[in-house]
């Protein structure tokens, strides 16, 4: 659904260039969206909602632990990718993959992963969140940028 929605929005509002116009760059952006949607997103779902996959509480705990380890690896990979962003993952213009990447670090905090452990990724998310439209959306929705709270 995410990819279909992004394709629709890009077609409806092409002036925003949320997906690249160049065919090769667009294919790479769609590939990244697919990876985010088919790997990163469902891995987090297994962490945050293991009850969707089994009613067994012991199995839920095992699913959560296993997928949290996988999610850390995916966050590490994203940390490396955003470190190379110039200035965005698509290049000169912000796109859907940049916004989706912000979501994943926010979710990491919900899962108990300290965003400070990924300095390049955290700096990138902070930079994206400071953009006026993103900052306005976060404010309107009363959403904190980082959910992680260090243990006392």
């Amino acid at each position: 659904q995410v990819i279909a929605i992004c394709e629709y929005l890009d077609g409806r509002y092409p002036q925003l260039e949320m997906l690249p116009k160049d065919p090769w760059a667009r294919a790479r952006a769609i590939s990244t969206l697919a990876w985010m949607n088919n790997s990163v997103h469902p891995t987090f779902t297994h962490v945050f909602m293991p009850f969707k996959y089994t009613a067994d509480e012991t199995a839920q705990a095992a699913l959560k632990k296993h997928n949290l380890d996988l999610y850390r690896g995916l966050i590490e990979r994203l940390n490396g990718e955003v470190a190379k962003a110039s200035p965005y993952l698509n290049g000169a213009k912000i796109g859907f993959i940049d916004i989706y990447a912000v979501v994943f670090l926010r979710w990491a905090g919900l899962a108990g992963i300290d965003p400070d452990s990924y300095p390049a990724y955290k700096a990138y998310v902070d930079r994206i969140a400071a953009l006026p439209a993103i900052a306005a959306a976060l404010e309107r929705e009363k959403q904190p940028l980082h959910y992680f709270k260090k243990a006392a």
Side-chain angles (χ1 to χ4, degrees):
Q1 295 169 330
V2 167
I3 296 169
I5 292 166
C6 291
E7 284 280 4
Y8 168 77
L9 290 172
D10 188 62
R12 180 73 174 86
Y13 304 100
Q15 71 278 13
L16 298 178
E17 297 182 53
M18 295 296 286
L19 288 171
K21 299 301 175 208
D22 173 74
W24 178 245
R26 186 180 187 90
R28 289 181 56 223
I30 295 293
S31 176
T32 300
L33 271 173
W35 173 75
M36 290 172 152
N37 190 234
N38 296 328
S39 296
V40 185
H41 195 142
T43 300
F44 181 77
T45 303
H46 282 81
V47 171
F48 201 64
M49 293 188 260
F51 59 85
K52 291 179 78 173
Y53 304 98
T54 182
D56 182 301
E57 290 183 12
T58 301
Q60 288 176 15
L63 269 172
K64 185 173 182 172
K65 181 186 180 319
H66 175 73
N67 283 280
L68 184 56
D69 290 341
L70 293 174
Y71 196 73
R72 274 193 182 90
L74 296 168
I75 293 297
E76 183 67 38
R77 179 175 167 184
L78 282 164
N79 186 63
E81 291 300 314
V82 300
K84 299 181 285 187
S86 180
Y88 303 108
L89 291 169
N90 284 338
K93 296 195 80 81
I94 191 169
F96 293 120
I97 58 177
D98 298 292
I99 295 165
Y100 212 7
V102 168
V103 170
F104 296 133
L105 191 64
R106 292 178 75 228
W107 287 356
L110 281 172
I113 299 170
D114 186 352
D116 288 333
S117 300
Y118 303 95
Y121 199 172
K122 186 172 186 249
Y124 168 83
V125 165
D126 290 345
R127 185 168 49 84
I128 298 295
L131 296 170
I134 305 298
L138 289 167
E139 175 63 29
R140 182 182 62 244
E141 299 300 319
K142 307 285 188 245
Q143 293 296 312
L145 183 56
H146 300 293
Y147 289 108
F148 181 77
K149 293 198 180 8
K150 292 182 180 176

